[in-house]
């Protein structure tokens, strides 16, 4: 059974900001929405017109802003997953506040445990923590669990990509947020091992990028 949707958490010094055309609220227990990540939302919206039907999946959703901006104005269902109860509470709150509650399901769980084996999605948004563990102290305002990607910064992205690869439909797409094009290059062996291929990388700067990944077609016998 899928994890239940959480009720919004009691606010603790809540902060509101605009993201795309949404009003997003969060607190210090959740990673502050970065304006640059609207790149991922806009790219997702463009892709949805040509992708297979069905719902959208967002892994490591945080306050929910990226996925909400991606599906707003469409009929696509959105399933959002995060291991942080506080993040899930705010994602649910933001879906309700922006009139998208009927479209959105928020699941509090590790990404590997949140989905039934049969669930498939035309688009997967992956927003994993991607900093190296020894870099996290340089970001004291960010919750550690929202930014720590493991010793090399690759462990959590690889874990998330494994889930994305299992649940994206043939002909679908994965949009991965990464710490710049160099991290996408470092992830390429894992991406290939999981049966995905890198289609395009949008580099905002050397430390911020979004990569389009596609399921590779099996070789003909």
């Amino acid at each position: 059974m899928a994890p239940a949707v959480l009720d919004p958490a009691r606010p603790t010094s809540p902060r509101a900001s605009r993201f795309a055309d949404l009003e997003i609220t969060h607190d210090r227990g959740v990673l502050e929405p970065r304006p640059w990540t609207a790149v991922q939302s806009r790219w997702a919206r463009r892709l949805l017109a040509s992708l297979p039907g069905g719902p959208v999946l967002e892994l490591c959703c945080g306050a929910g802003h990226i996925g909400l901006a991606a599906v707003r104005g469409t009929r696509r269902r959105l399933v959002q997953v995060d291991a942080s109860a506080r993040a899930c509470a705010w994602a649910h709150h933001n879906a309700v506040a922006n009139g998208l509650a009927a479209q959105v399901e928020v699941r509090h769980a590790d990404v590997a445990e949140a989905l039934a084996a049969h669930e498939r999605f035309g688009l997967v948004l992956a927003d994993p923590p991607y900093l190296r563990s020894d870099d996290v102290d340089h970001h004291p305002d960010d919750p550690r669990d929202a930014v720590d990607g493991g010793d090399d910064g690759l462990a959590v992205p690889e874990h998330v990509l494994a889930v994305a690869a299992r649940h994206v439909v043939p002909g679908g797409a994965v949009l991965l947020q990464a710490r710049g094009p160099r991290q996408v290059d470092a992830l390429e062996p894992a991406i290939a091992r999981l049966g995905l291929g890198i289609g395009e990388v949008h580099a905002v700067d050397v430390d911020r990028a979004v990569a389009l990944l596609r399921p590779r077609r099996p070789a003909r016998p």
Side-chain angles (χ1 to χ4, degrees):
M1 180 179 295
V5 175
L6 299 178
D7 290 330
R10 185 182 298 275
T12 304
S13 302
R15 308 171 183 181
S17 59
R18 296 294 294 177
F19 181 85
D21 56 352
L22 303 172
E23 184 78 15
I24 299 297
T25 307
H26 66 100
D27 63 19
R28 290 181 60 86
V30 179
L31 188 68
E32 182 175 359
R34 270 51 168 172
W36 79 268
T37 60
V39 168
Q40 195 174 17
S41 300
R42 290 194 296 268
W43 198 350
R45 287 179 67 89
R46 292 196 301 272
L47 287 170
L48 283 174
S50 59
L51 289 175
V56 174
L57 172 65
E58 184 177 15
L59 301 173
C60 307
C61 68
H65 48 293
I66 295 172
L68 293 176
V71 303
R72 185 169 192 178
T74 77
R75 295 184 178 181
R76 299 268 187 162
R77 285 183 52 248
L78 173 65
V79 176
Q80 297 182 305
V81 179
D82 204 287
S84 163
R86 181 58 61 94
C88 287
W90 281 117
H92 177 70
H93 170 88
N94 288 320
V96 172
N98 288 280
L100 294 169
Q103 233 172 303
V104 179
E105 179 185 356
V106 182
R107 301 182 187 179
H108 171 221
D110 182 275
V111 295
E113 300 172 356
L115 302 167
H118 69 274
E119 289 186 279
R120 295 293 182 271
F121 300 85
L123 175 64
V124 181
L125 302 173
D127 317 321
Y130 54 61
L131 295 182
R132 294 167 56 100
S133 295
D134 57 9
D135 288 338
V136 171
D137 289 343
H138 300 300
H139 301 268
D141 293 332
D142 296 334
R144 187 179 189 95
D145 62 352
V147 296
D148 189 345
D151 290 346
D152 58 2
L154 304 179
V156 177
E158 288 180 5
H159 176 66
V160 170
L161 282 172
V163 177
R166 285 197 299 272
H167 292 278
V168 66
V169 300
V174 177
L175 282 178
L176 170 70
Q177 199 178 119
R179 193 177 189 186
R182 288 175 297 182
Q183 188 174 66
V184 177
D185 290 342
L187 286 165
E188 188 168 8
I191 290 169
R193 185 174 67 251
L194 292 166
L196 300 172
I198 300 173
E200 184 181 348
V201 178
H202 180 104
V204 176
D205 56 35
V206 295
D207 287 326
R208 300 178 292 181
V210 178
L212 171 62
L213 314 178
R214 297 274 194 176
R216 293 184 304 188
R217 294 180 179 177
R220 292 181 179 273

